[in-house]
């Protein structure tokens, strides 16, 4: 190996080492609060704020998890979030998938402007339309229902999902559909039998994005529901923040329970999420 080649490779290695160091630092920064929360969830309430801080609890206890799972509304809140999230995902995909396919395959006058307008709607701050939405919910007698949350969540997610899936559909060769039509398949049949199976990674990524958005939202969940039996998990967690202080042990235990569905979803669909976002980013 020549000296020039060695000089060229050395900066590349340093750059790669710097990238990995940055990724490790970012991962540690992100995981640090979770590890603290996990440790706190196993501590008795009297020792949570004790000094010096012990990362490994001196006395392990499951009382916080018992209180969260059996003596609180958290299980009901979790079920509510699962129901609203799944239905929102279904409604969002039902609207966004054919819309994204049409945007990717068909040409019509004003297409670019229409797509840009759709994207603009997702840029409107939620707080800006909160009062009109609240007024409509009360007037239409849908306040304090899952229905109003599902409609709002789906409406806010459809523009983003259309743009993500549009890029993914554009990455699928149109020759596949033409071959299907030659064999006698209709346009709809080619879409369902040929395109949708190939679009599973993109659809899976869109489903996860929508699910996480609904799961983490607090603004809509706290504004349009006041019944404790209909609260979502994001609102339920705030019951541990009282005027007399924060119940740290039970709060962190509830957070750990809340994170479990998200962790399972990401572990199961990690490849599909990365594949779908990569295709959408490269073509969108």
């Amino acid at each position: 190996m020549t000296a020039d080649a060695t000089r060229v490779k050395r900066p590349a290695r340093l750059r790669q080492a710097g990238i990995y160091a940055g990724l490790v630092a970012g991962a540690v920064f992100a995981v640090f609060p979770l590890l603290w929360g996990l440790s706190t969830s196993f501590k008795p309430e009297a020792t949570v704020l004790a000094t010096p801080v012990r990362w490994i609890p001196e006395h392990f206890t499951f009382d916080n998890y018992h209180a969260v799972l059996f003596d609180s509304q958290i299980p009901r809140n979790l079920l509510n979030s699962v129901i609203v999230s799944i239905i929102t995902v279904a409604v969002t995909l039902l609207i966004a998938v054919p819309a994204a396919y049409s945007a990717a395959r068909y040409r019509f006058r004003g297409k670019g402007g229409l797509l840009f307008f759709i994207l603009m709607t997702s840029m409107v701050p939620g707080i800006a339309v909160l009062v009109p939405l609240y007024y409509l919910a009360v007037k239409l007698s849908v306040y304090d229902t899952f229905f109003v949350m599902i409609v709002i969540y789906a409406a806010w997610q459809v523009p983003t999902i259309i743009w993500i899936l549009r890029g993914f559909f554009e990455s699928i060769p149109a020759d596949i559909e033409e071959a299907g039509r030659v064999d006698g398949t209709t346009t709809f049949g080619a879409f369902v039998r040929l395109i949708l199976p190939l679009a599973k990674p993109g659809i899976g990524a869109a489903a996860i994005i929508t699910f996480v958005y609904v799961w983490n939202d607090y603004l809509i969940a706290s504004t349009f529901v006041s019944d404790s039996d209909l609260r979502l998990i994001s609102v339920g967690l705030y019951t541990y923040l009282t005027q007399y202080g924060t119940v740290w042990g039970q709060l962190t235990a509830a957070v750990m329970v809340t994170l479990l569905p998200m962790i399972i979803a990401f572990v199961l669909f990690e490849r599909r999420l990365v594949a779908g976002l990569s295709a959408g980013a490269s073509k969108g």
Side-chain angles (χ1 to χ4, degrees):
M1 182 179 296
T2 64
D4 292 339
T6 303
R7 293 194 194 97
V8 171
K9 285 191 174 182
R10 188 173 299 169
R13 290 176 180 175
L14 291 175
R15 190 182 304 111
Q16 188 176 22
I19 292 174
Y20 280 115
L23 291 175
V24 170
V28 171
F29 181 79
V31 172
F32 180 82
L34 300 180
L35 293 178
W36 177 85
L38 182 63
S39 172
T40 304
S41 67
F42 289 107
K43 294 179 181 179
E45 194 63 34
T47 65
V48 168
L49 301 178
T51 54
V53 177
R54 292 180 178 270
W55 281 92
I56 300 178
E58 187 175 0
H59 302 288
F60 274 87
T61 179
F62 289 93
D63 292 343
N64 295 323
Y65 286 94
H66 184 277
V68 167
L69 295 176
F70 300 104
D71 300 327
S72 73
Q73 286 277 80
I74 292 298
R76 181 61 181 264
N77 300 149
L78 280 171
L79 179 61
N80 294 342
S81 288
V82 169
I83 293 173
V84 173
S85 299
I86 291 178
I87 297 178
T88 300
V89 168
V91 173
T92 300
L93 293 181
L94 186 64
I95 299 172
V97 169
Y101 175 76
S102 300
R105 286 291 188 262
Y106 299 110
R107 296 182 179 180
F108 51 88
R109 182 175 298 178
K111 172 182 170 181
L114 177 61
L115 290 175
F116 182 72
F117 177 77
I118 291 174
L119 183 62
M120 284 178 56
T121 60
S122 65
M123 300 178 184
V124 177
I127 194 69
V129 294
L130 196 63
V131 173
L133 289 176
Y134 181 88
Y135 178 80
L136 287 175
V138 173
K139 284 296 182 179
L140 296 176
S141 301
V142 292
Y143 180 79
D144 245 351
T145 64
F146 287 159
F147 175 79
V148 65
M149 289 190 292
I150 291 169
V151 170
I152 295 174
Y153 286 141
W156 280 4
Q157 283 298 288
V158 162
T160 303
I161 300 305
I162 287 177
W163 273 81
I164 292 175
L165 292 181
R166 177 201 174 201
F168 196 89
F169 283 126
E170 287 179 345
S171 68
I172 301 176
D175 296 341
I176 296 176
E177 298 158 86
E178 295 177 3
R181 295 192 190 98
V182 170
D183 291 337
T185 305
T186 62
T187 302
F188 180 76
F191 170 69
V192 173
R193 298 177 185 177
L194 302 177
I195 301 302
L196 284 185
L198 295 176
K200 283 183 179 179
I203 295 175
I208 294 176
I209 291 172
T210 304
F211 189 91
V212 171
Y213 171 82
V214 177
W215 193 269
N216 292 333
D217 175 74
Y218 177 79
L219 181 64
I220 298 301
S222 62
T223 302
F224 291 89
V225 167
S226 59
D227 188 347
S228 60
D229 290 334
L230 298 177
R231 288 175 181 165
L232 303 189
I233 190 62
S234 56
V235 180
L237 290 176
Y238 276 79
T239 58
Y240 296 105
L241 306 178
T242 68
Q243 59 180 334
Y244 304 106
T246 303
V247 188
W248 289 109
Q250 294 183 27
L251 174 60
T252 52
V255 169
M256 293 300 110
V257 172
T258 303
L259 287 176
L260 192 59
M262 290 292 94
I263 294 173
I264 293 175
F266 274 107
V267 169
L268 293 178
F269 300 103
E270 177 188 3
R271 292 183 180 178
R272 193 162 288 183
L273 176 64
V274 173
L277 291 179
S278 299
S282 63
K283 289 289 183 179

